[in-house]
Amino acid sequence: MRLRHIEVFNAVMLTGSVSAAARLINVTQPAVSRILAHAELQLGFALFHRMKGRLVPTREAQTLYPHIERLFNQLDDVQRLANSLRGQQREGELHVLSVLALSHEVMPRALQAFRAQHPDVVVRIDALHSPQIVSALVLQEADIGFVFSALVHPSLVQETLAEGRVVCIAPKGTLDADVVQAGVVHLADLAHTPVIRLEANDPLGTMVNHASREADVGLQAAFTVQTYHAALALAHHGLGVALVDVCTAASADRTRVDVLALAPRIAVPVKALRMVNRPASLLADTMVRCMRDAVAQTLASAGLAESD
């Protein structure tokens, strides 16, 4: 199939008719019919059955379509990369990506320090999930990204800014007074306590699940959430114990929840990601230094910055 065949096939699959497909890709209806017929002739089999004015995909078309979808996603990536290269690094601008958990306490501290050094620079900040940050950096849509855990990609270089840890945020009265007094809770102590879990594909969720298996502890999932601050909010309302990173714990309302170190210790590194072959940016370098200091300040403010 030629690229034009693929474009028309995709448009018909999306819309279900020749007329709608023609409008979608801005060509005439006869052109769509002609290109579709030519594609079927080249392939040697029909792609659609004509039924009551609509085109119904054949079994062969349904088999082809997932591969066509992947191809169009790749074409979209090429277009995004081309757009990024066209508008590459305008002077006086910095595009920063960050996981949401770092955007509440850490990022404001870092931006305050960055602004003091570069008051005229326009900073754009997007809070995304880690895979989205990696994708955007690889497509050169941003200058730098900040994530938890190591994310290996051949086009990216990573720098560790600090090492945090997973902590336990428990509604007041949930844990025994002696455990709260000690300031440390073991995974085994939470075996019969409702826990607000992070999704299994989340870096922190993966770490907690692994530690639970290693400790042979089955945690009771009261809720499963996508973001660390959603877990914190549920803990604030007494709906369960949240296991989150220290940077998120810095936002905890200590009048409503107890914040304790979790044992065994689960390290949560804070990483800066950048393109391997992209020219060094003084603005990005400054942002990394500001984030490093901001993470250290946030860990200290949480009172859980020990290195045990």
Side-chain angles (χ1 to χ4, degrees):
M1 294 179 77
R2 296 178 180 175
L3 186 57
R4 192 58 167 166
H5 296 161
I6 292 171
E7 183 183 24
V8 168
F9 171 67
N10 183 65
V12 174
M13 288 292 289
L14 289 173
T15 63
S17 72
V18 169
S19 58
R23 289 192 297 272
L24 181 66
I25 59 177
N26 197 28
V27 299
T28 64
Q29 293 185 40
V32 170
S33 298
R34 185 173 61 253
I35 294 168
L36 195 57
H38 190 252
E40 292 178 323
L41 182 63
Q42 279 203 335
L43 289 169
F45 55 79
L47 292 170
F48 298 95
H49 299 302
R50 280 72 177 173
M51 297 178 62
K52 297 181 180 180
R54 293 193 63 81
L55 298 180
V56 179
T58 63
R59 180 171 56 84
E60 291 81 1
Q62 291 171 343
T63 303
L64 273 175
Y65 190 54
H67 300 274
I68 299 298
E69 280 189 308
R70 286 197 293 272
L71 176 59
F72 266 82
N73 287 335
Q74 291 173 333
L75 290 173
D76 286 342
D77 285 348
V78 171
Q79 185 61 52
R80 288 167 59 191
L81 179 55
N83 291 338
S84 297
L85 292 172
R86 185 171 62 243
Q88 194 77 261
Q89 189 66 33
R90 284 174 290 184
E91 188 176 354
E93 293 187 7
L94 184 69
H95 189 181
V96 179
L97 307 177
S98 170
V99 291
L100 187 61
L102 292 172
S103 67
H104 288 261
E105 295 289 336
V106 177
M107 188 61 70
R109 296 176 191 263
L111 289 174
Q112 189 175 37
F114 182 89
R115 177 65 70 199
Q117 299 178 55
H118 300 283
D120 297 324
V121 172
V122 176
V123 183
R124 174 183 168 187
I125 304 159
D126 289 325
L128 304 171
H129 292 294
S130 298
Q132 295 171 309
I133 291 175
V134 170
S135 176
L137 288 172
V138 169
L139 293 172
Q140 301 190 38
E141 295 179 327
D143 300 292
I144 193 162
F146 298 100
V147 299
F148 290 134
S149 187
L151 294 169
V152 179
H153 193 286
S155 298
L156 300 179
V157 60
Q158 56 183 290
E159 178 183 351
T160 300
L161 305 185
E163 186 175 277
R165 64 181 300 167
V166 175
V167 299
C168 173
I169 300 179
K172 291 286 186 180
T174 300
L175 302 177
D176 290 342
D178 56 343
V179 172
V180 175
Q181 181 66 31
V184 179
V185 62
H186 290 75
L187 276 171
D189 298 330
L190 303 176
H192 303 292
T193 302
V195 175
I196 301 157
R197 300 290 291 269
L198 299 166
E199 289 189 336
N201 59 355
D202 179 271
L204 211 63
T206 300
M207 294 178 199
V208 171
N209 289 343
H210 177 73
S212 298
R213 288 193 299 270
E214 289 290 308
D216 196 23
V217 175
L219 297 178
Q220 298 180 14
F223 300 93
T224 301
V225 297
Q226 283 191 318
T227 68
Y228 308 164
H229 277 82
L232 174 61
L234 294 184
H236 277 156
H237 284 82
L239 294 173
V241 166
L243 301 180
V244 297
D245 66 287
V246 179
C247 294
T248 298
S251 300
D253 182 351
R254 305 272 180 136
T255 66
R256 303 166 71 182
V257 294
D258 295 312
V259 180
L260 300 90
L262 183 69
R265 191 182 200 277
I266 304 173
V268 182
V270 180
K271 303 270 188 174
L273 302 181
R274 284 195 268 190
M275 285 292 295
V276 170
N277 297 320
R278 193 163 184 176
S281 163
L282 293 177
L283 294 180
D285 289 343
T286 302
M287 191 66 202
V288 169
R289 290 194 298 272
C290 292
M291 280 292 287
R292 186 190 303 277
D293 293 342
V295 172
Q297 293 166 12
T298 303
L299 296 182
S301 70
L304 291 163
E306 75 279 0
S307 57
D308 61 322

